[in-house]
Amino acid sequence: MASKQWHKEMAVYQIWTRSFCDGNGDGIGDLWGVLSKLDYIRSLGVDAIWFSPIYPSPNADFGYDISDYMDINPEYGDLGVFRQVLDGAHERGMRVFMDLVVNHTSDEHKWFIESRKSKDNPYHDYYIWRPGKTVRGKRRPPNNWTSMFEGGAWEYDEGLDEYYLHVFAKKQPDLNMDNPKVREEVKRIMQFWLDMGVDGFREDVITFISKTEGLPDSHPWLPAANGYKYYSNGPRVHQYLMEFKRDVLDCYDCFTVGESPLTTADIALQYVTEGPDQVLDEMIAFSHMEADCFMIDMVQLPFNLVKMKRAFSDWQYKLAGRGWNALYLENHDHPRVISRYGSEQYRVESGKMLAVSYLFLKGTPFIYQGQEIGMTNWRPEHTSMYEDVQTRNQHPDWPEEKRLALYHRASRDSARTPMQWTDGENAGFTTGTPWFYVNENYKDINVEQALHDPDSILNFYKKAIALRKSLPVVRDGSYQEYYKGSDKLYVYARETKEQKLLVICSFTDKPVRFQAPYNFSLSDMKLLLTNYDDTCEENSFLTRPYEARVYLYE
């Protein structure tokens, strides 16, 4: 693992390759496109790239259904061009992380193809196969669990007269990590990429890899992810992660960040507390992304700033001095944050404010492609235009208009429209026909325009990233939240013996009276960053729409 703790100094740029940049004109983003944009990525001030899965895949879940862990999807290139990207990133001082998806594979992986041939096939026990139940003379699945994406969590195989478990889509059968042979396969996958020079892994739903013995029915029944308590943070997950760490990761100077849906800071500490029992460098939290929903994005609620702040603060307080946070507001699994927590009417102002709100917290910041230029949600005319398996299976019985309104707000596809590079054809993403729809606002929101506008969100991100790196207080300082009950302001301080930082963020277009906390005098502090040009330095002022300020005292 990251023995020298360099992960505490870095900022990471996430690439969802299919929609990033098409380098060969076939309409699909690829590694040639990434290679052509390495200088752009480095210019942001980031230190690493995280690739969402780029392995061969049938694309039932766009790469998170892997059919070969030791190759590159031909749509994106091959191992040769990947090595060019890897070398190019390293030459520019950037590390590269792969997405390790080992809770499940594709049903087109050779292991699964073999596993369903017969019950005595050596690969059968690579997956979780179980006989069904007979209830009132009818065949029923082994238990009442439901999947995250597609109805029940079990799929029947007539040839074997057995069911296989899929916590996600039907084409994503869960691996049986209790089988030592499967764990050896995972180690070989890790070693393959680390030996090539990859610098670590983002580990997808890694806390799902151990299921409760006996796979019991789950009660009370939940309409989504029923059974979750029996496969999240299971009985042997720490044992298996420690095995991977001891046998592989400790042999390399590499980084690991785990993804764990619905995990609290207290649970995360079981994985990231620094010391001999630590199994991950960081954990990706979801709680701050639930400020406008219940558990998952598709169960929508009005945005609640207090809920968001409470989540951020809980992780900041509890991990302080014990573990390290992963900080983010966007990734491939969520709609665009300006459309969620900000304002499209005040896109530039709120986009900058949102950057400030999380970039000065303690932890490693992740920036998702397009976030840095303020891309917004995509709103197609028909639900049939959506590609995402999670989206398409949400409420198929609802009227079209009602489903469309939900998808506009909550679909992951808004994060997967092609990156907007220019105001030219196809937003400069491809010279061919794009694999997916380009957001119609690309003429106004694109990299080329942002580069030439000194007041753009893009240039603001560059300033903010550079600033956080220049201030020891951002890495080392304590955290204190103010205005906890405010549903309009997020205010926090970071402090060391040498420096004090005060961060002020307005989450509304309405004026709010701000009064500096009793132990701060703004006239004695330096205004380092703001999204408005003309600012007063009085201890009390009325905020402007989505105003953000960062003050320093030293």
Side-chain angles (χ1 to χ4, degrees):
M1 292 170 66
S3 56
K4 297 179 182 178
Q5 298 198 330
W6 42 260
H7 64 288
K8 295 183 178 180
E9 307 283 353
M10 70 180 180
V12 183
Y13 190 77
Q14 182 194 353
I15 294 178
W16 201 76
T17 303
R18 192 175 193 84
S19 287
F20 186 64
C21 181
D22 174 19
N24 64 4
D26 67 354
I28 298 172
D30 52 42
L31 291 173
W32 293 284
V34 173
L35 190 62
S36 73
K37 299 297 184 182
L38 288 178
D39 286 335
Y40 165 77
I41 297 167
R42 188 68 183 99
S43 75
L44 300 174
V46 301
D47 310 277
I49 295 169
W50 152 31
F51 281 106
S52 287
I54 51 176
Y55 316 100
S57 167
N59 286 324
D61 189 21
F62 288 108
Y64 285 89
D65 51 317
I66 296 168
S67 56
D68 185 347
Y69 287 95
M70 297 186 188
D71 205 348
I72 298 296
N73 189 330
E75 292 180 314
Y76 304 150
D78 55 30
L79 286 170
V81 69
F82 176 76
R83 288 188 178 94
Q84 291 182 55
V85 171
L86 184 63
D87 292 344
H90 287 165
E91 289 166 5
R92 291 165 174 81
M94 294 186 291
R95 291 179 165 91
V96 173
F97 309 133
M98 296 291 274
D99 215 316
L100 185 72
V101 187
V102 293
N103 177 70
H104 48 265
T105 71
S106 166
D107 66 346
E108 297 182 34
H109 194 291
K110 63 182 179 182
W111 302 339
F112 189 74
I113 293 171
E114 288 294 318
S115 82
R116 69 192 315 172
K117 286 182 178 179
S118 68
K119 296 178 184 179
D120 58 1
N121 188 286
Y123 287 96
H124 190 67
D125 198 34
Y126 270 44
Y127 296 86
I128 300 173
W129 290 94
R130 294 291 187 275
K133 298 176 180 178
T134 301
V135 180
R136 297 187 184 92
K138 294 185 178 181
R139 183 179 65 241
R140 292 287 185 265
N143 64 29
N144 68 346
W145 297 2
T146 57
S147 76
M148 295 279 190
F149 290 172
E150 286 188 283
W154 296 93
E155 189 70 7
Y156 182 66
D157 184 283
E158 190 170 346
L160 294 174
D161 191 26
E162 285 188 326
Y163 291 80
Y164 68 83
L165 178 67
H166 62 92
V167 166
F168 291 92
K170 294 176 183 178
K171 290 182 67 62
Q172 293 173 289
D174 279 45
L175 283 165
N176 176 19
M177 204 61 66
D178 292 339
N179 183 344
K181 293 180 180 178
V182 173
R183 300 199 299 277
E184 289 303 314
E185 297 281 12
V186 172
K187 295 176 200 175
R188 278 193 285 271
I189 294 164
M190 289 179 165
Q191 289 168 331
F192 175 82
W193 293 105
L194 291 168
D195 286 343
M196 190 181 295
V198 164
D199 302 287
F201 303 99
R202 178 264 191 186
E203 302 186 1
D204 186 66
V205 292
I206 197 63
T207 53
F208 286 13
I209 63 173
S210 172
K211 277 69 171 176
T212 298
E213 188 173 352
L215 308 179
D217 279 342
S218 185
H219 300 287
W221 190 84
L222 299 173
N226 194 55
Y228 171 83
K229 62 184 178 181
Y230 292 122
Y231 58 76
S232 179
N233 304 294
R236 288 170 295 278
V237 63
H238 289 86
Q239 173 189 332
Y240 297 159
L241 292 179
M242 183 59 74
E243 180 181 334
F244 299 152
K245 176 178 179 287
R246 181 191 66 237
D247 293 354
V248 179
L249 298 171
D250 279 349
C251 301
Y252 301 84
D253 184 19
C254 63
F255 168 74
T256 56
V257 55
E259 182 203 31
S260 180
L262 304 176
T263 288
T264 65
D266 293 306
I267 293 173
L269 282 167
Q270 299 171 20
Y271 298 85
V272 303
T273 296
E274 295 173 357
D277 296 328
Q278 182 181 15
V279 292
L280 295 168
D281 288 310
E282 299 173 15
M283 183 72 83
I284 294 173
F286 278 68
S287 50
H288 66 287
M289 300 309 298
E290 297 167 15
D292 63 351
C293 61
F294 176 71
M295 293 178 64
I296 60 172
D297 293 344
M298 286 290 176
V299 183
Q300 284 283 297
L301 296 170
F303 174 64
N304 185 329
L305 177 61
V306 174
K307 186 178 180 182
M308 188 206 81
K309 296 191 298 181
R310 189 184 303 125
F312 269 141
S313 293
D314 189 50
W315 283 71
Q316 289 290 303
Y317 287 132
K318 289 180 177 175
L319 268 64
R322 303 175 68 186
W324 199 250
N325 275 282
L327 309 171
Y328 76 98
L329 285 177
E330 284 195 8
N331 63 30
H332 64 288
D333 272 337
H334 300 287
R336 293 291 182 178
V337 74
I338 287 174
S339 301
R340 296 182 69 176
Y341 293 1
S343 164
E344 293 186 12
Q345 180 183 352
Y346 292 96
R347 185 184 67 86
V348 174
E349 293 86 353
S350 68
K352 293 177 181 180
M353 180 278 296
L354 288 162
V356 168
S357 74
Y358 88 108
L359 285 177
F360 293 94
L361 295 170
K362 177 176 273 192
T364 298
F366 291 73
I367 298 100
Y368 179 66
Q369 65 187 47
Q371 176 184 341
E372 76 276 18
I373 61 170
M375 287 179 64
T376 60
N377 277 1
W378 168 64
R379 296 180 177 85
E381 295 179 357
H382 306 287
T383 57
S384 60
M385 297 170 72
Y386 286 90
E387 290 280 353
D388 172 40
V389 61
Q390 181 190 47
T391 301
R392 288 188 280 104
N393 284 287
Q394 293 293 325
H395 307 294
D397 55 328
W398 281 12
E400 169 74 7
E401 186 176 348
K402 186 178 179 182
R403 286 176 68 204
L404 190 62
L406 174 64
Y407 295 0
H408 282 177
R409 287 188 65 188
S411 174
R412 303 187 298 180
D413 271 345
S414 282
R416 301 176 179 192
T417 57
M419 181 72 174
Q420 294 162 206
W421 294 103
T422 73
D423 63 1
E425 188 176 7
N426 303 322
F429 165 72
T430 180
T431 57
T433 302
W435 78 274
F436 195 41
Y437 302 94
V438 176
N439 195 318
E440 292 181 355
N441 62 17
Y442 73 91
K443 288 189 177 292
D444 299 314
I445 304 173
N446 60 76
V447 171
E448 186 176 61
Q449 177 275 331
L451 285 172
H452 291 95
D453 177 3
D455 294 323
S456 68
I457 296 175
L458 173 61
N459 283 313
F460 190 88
Y461 262 93
K462 291 181 180 182
K463 292 175 188 175
I465 292 169
L467 183 60
R468 64 166 279 127
K469 288 185 174 185
S470 72
L471 297 170
V473 69
V474 178
R475 171 179 161 149
D476 302 323
S478 63
Y479 170 88
Q480 179 66 50
E481 183 190 350
Y482 296 94
Y483 285 84
K484 291 183 180 180
S486 173
D487 61 357
K488 295 179 175 62
L489 297 179
Y490 181 27
V491 181
Y492 63 89
R494 307 291 314 284
E495 185 171 352
T496 63
K497 290 181 179 180
E498 294 79 21
Q499 294 181 317
K500 291 171 70 173
L501 202 70
L502 184 65
V503 179
I504 306 161
C505 296
S506 170
F507 276 74
T508 178
D509 60 355
K510 305 294 189 297
V512 181
R513 173 61 62 182
F514 170 79
Q515 176 69 46
Y518 71 93
N519 50 342
F520 289 91
S521 173
L522 299 190
S523 61
D524 295 331
M525 304 182 78
K526 182 179 180 181
L527 180 62
L528 297 181
L529 190 67
T530 179
N531 55 354
Y532 282 90
D533 290 333
D534 51 327
T535 57
C536 69
E537 303 307 324
E538 299 176 2
N539 264 15
S540 178
F541 61 87
L542 281 176
T543 63
R544 287 162 288 189
Y546 297 93
E547 185 167 5
R549 301 188 188 188
V550 180
Y551 286 94
L552 175 69
Y553 176 82
E554 57 185 352

